[in-house]
Amino acid sequence: MRFEIMRLDDVDGTAVDSTVVDAASVNRIVQRAAAVGQRIYIRPADTSAS
């Protein structure tokens, strides 16, 4: 499963950038964000074919 992780602006909470990662990478990214106090939003990535 893949997830989209969006880094959020500290002031207004809007998405600054995003990346799609596999499930194994989510924990590492969450720990890194927590260590520096970064706000992130995680949701399942859209995997449907267009």
Side-chain angles (χ1 to χ4, degrees), residues 2 4-5 8 12-15 17 20-22 26 28 30-33 38 40 43-45 48-50:
R2 297 182 62 77
E4 179 180 20
I5 300 179
L8 304 177
D12 62 10
T14 58
D17 60 19
V20 175
V21 298
D22 61 354
V26 173
R28 176 181 45 83
V30 169
Q31 287 184 7
R32 186 182 318 143
Q38 185 177 66
I40 57 174
R43 66 181 180 187
S48 62
S50 298

Side-chain angles (χ1 to χ4, degrees), residues 3-8 13 15 17-19 33 38-44:
F3 294 89
E4 179 180 20
I5 300 179
M6 291 175 271
R7 187 168 53 99
L8 304 177
D17 60 19
S18 69
T19 187
Q38 185 177 66
R39 296 170 60 190
I40 57 174
Y41 178 74
I42 303 170
R43 66 181 180 187

